[in-house]
């Protein structure tokens, strides 16, 4: 997003021109192919979750309204939340997600920044990570308590300055344009995913 306009970028187009060190990383011992930090949204960007008890969705997740059918041929899995009710969540994977994550997390320091609650996001991310590696593939996970609530928009925004990253070499991939308000120049906008088995967004973002 530049000067308030959405511009189609690929991740490789956003590589920084200078190399700077930054602090913090839960996985600082890892080395990456490129000196770029990729921050990924979760709901409707990487996956779409269907709570078996729909009344629990707003409490734990932060999802766009889905006007489409949830029937789909995309890959999926089910997780149980560690809560008193043990809510069941059916998670639909955006096509090409596992391959995308495997490549991105190898090439770039990769964080998840979601407006969802950690009690829901963590088992989803744990399962995704386990499908790719024996260890956590994400350098950091950030949840609703790290987001900033915009009274004007009545939505959560994502201030990248709250993360232990250098802004001049960090990109945020998100389906919600409001997320980019604090740093619009760092945003890569993608369309929302629900259950479209023909979706090719992740491939376009990477290439």
């Amino acid at each position: 997003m530049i000067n308030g306009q959405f511009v189609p970028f690929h991740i490789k187009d956003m590589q920084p021109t200078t190399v700077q060190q930054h602090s913090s990383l839960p996985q600082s011992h890892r080395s990456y192919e490129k000196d770029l930090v990729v921050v990924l949204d979760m709901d409707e960007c990487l996956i779409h979750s269907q709570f078996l008890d729909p009344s629990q969705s707003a409490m734990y997740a932060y999802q766009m309204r889905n006007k489409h059918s949830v029937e789909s041929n995309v890959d999926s899995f089910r997780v149980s939340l560690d809560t008193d009710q043990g809510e069941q969540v059916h998670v639909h994977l955006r096509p090409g997600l596992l391959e995308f994550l495997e490549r991105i997390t190898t090439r770039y320091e990769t964080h998840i920044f979601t407006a969802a609650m950690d009690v829901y996001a963590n088992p989803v991310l744990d399962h995704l990570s386990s499908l790719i590696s024996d260890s956590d593939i994400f350098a950091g996970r950030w949840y609703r308590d790290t987001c900033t609530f915009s009274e004007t928009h009545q939505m959560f925004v994502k201030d990248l300055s709250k993360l232990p990253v250098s802004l001049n070499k960090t990109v945020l991939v998100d389906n919600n344009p409001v997320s980019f308000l604090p740093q619009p120049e760092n945003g890569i906008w993608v369309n929302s995913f629900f259950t479209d088995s023909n979706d090719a967004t992740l491939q376009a973002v990477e290439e």
Side-chain angles (χ1 to χ4, degrees):
M1 189 172 181
I2 298 179
N3 296 327
Q5 300 296 317
F6 290 112
V7 180
F9 282 117
H10 299 148
I11 283 180
K12 66 181 181 180
D13 296 327
M14 303 289 284
Q15 293 179 16
T17 56
T18 59
V19 176
Q20 296 185 0
Q21 297 299 318
H22 58 83
S23 60
S24 116
L25 307 167
Q27 294 185 333
S28 57
H29 61 281
R30 291 188 61 182
S31 59
Y32 301 92
E33 295 178 9
K34 304 291 184 179
D35 190 57
L36 176 74
V37 179
V38 177
V39 180
L40 301 172
D41 175 42
M42 191 179 79
D43 285 315
E44 273 67 80
C45 181
L46 304 182
I47 55 101
H48 173 68
S49 288
Q50 177 188 4
F51 281 70
L52 301 194
D53 179 357
S55 66
Q56 302 300 316
S57 176
M59 181 184 302
Y60 300 113
Y62 189 69
Q63 303 184 107
M64 308 291 282
R65 289 187 178 275
N66 180 11
K67 298 179 180 179
H68 310 287
S69 169
V70 296
E71 297 298 326
S72 174
N73 292 322
V74 299
D75 292 336
S76 63
F77 60 82
R78 185 169 294 186
V79 295
S80 298
L81 305 191
D82 186 17
T83 62
D84 292 339
Q85 290 74 32
E87 286 85 354
Q88 299 285 309
V89 187
H90 194 73
V91 181
H92 302 267
L93 279 61
R94 194 163 207 156
L97 175 60
L98 297 181
E99 295 81 3
F100 172 81
L101 287 177
E102 185 170 14
R103 290 189 294 268
I104 291 297
T105 58
T106 299
R107 296 172 183 170
Y108 312 109
E109 178 188 317
T110 305
H111 296 249
I112 295 292
F113 196 178
T114 175
M117 301 292 287
D118 60 349
V119 69
Y120 150 65
N122 266 330
V124 173
L125 296 174
D126 286 346
H127 192 87
L128 283 175
S129 189
S130 72
L131 294 174
I132 298 171
S133 173
D134 292 333
S135 59
D136 192 357
I137 62 174
F138 303 111
R141 301 179 183 188
W142 313 92
Y143 311 101
R144 186 175 299 179
D145 57 357
T146 307
C147 295
T148 302
F149 188 75
S150 169
E151 295 292 345
T152 301
H153 297 87
Q154 291 294 297
M155 301 181 78
F156 290 103
V157 301
K158 297 174 180 176
D159 185 352
L160 296 174
S161 69
K162 293 186 175 184
L163 274 57
V165 299
S166 297
L167 291 180
N168 68 339
K169 64 172 183 176
T170 299
V171 296
L172 170 63
V173 182
D174 204 306
N175 66 297
N176 186 354
V178 175
S179 298
F180 304 132
L181 287 178
Q183 295 93 17
E185 67 278 7
N186 293 74
I188 297 179
W189 177 81
V190 297
N191 60 301
S192 297
F193 167 72
F194 295 107
T195 56
D196 181 8
S197 59
N198 295 314
D199 186 284
T201 298
L202 295 178
Q203 179 181 353
V205 167
E206 187 179 3
E207 295 178 354

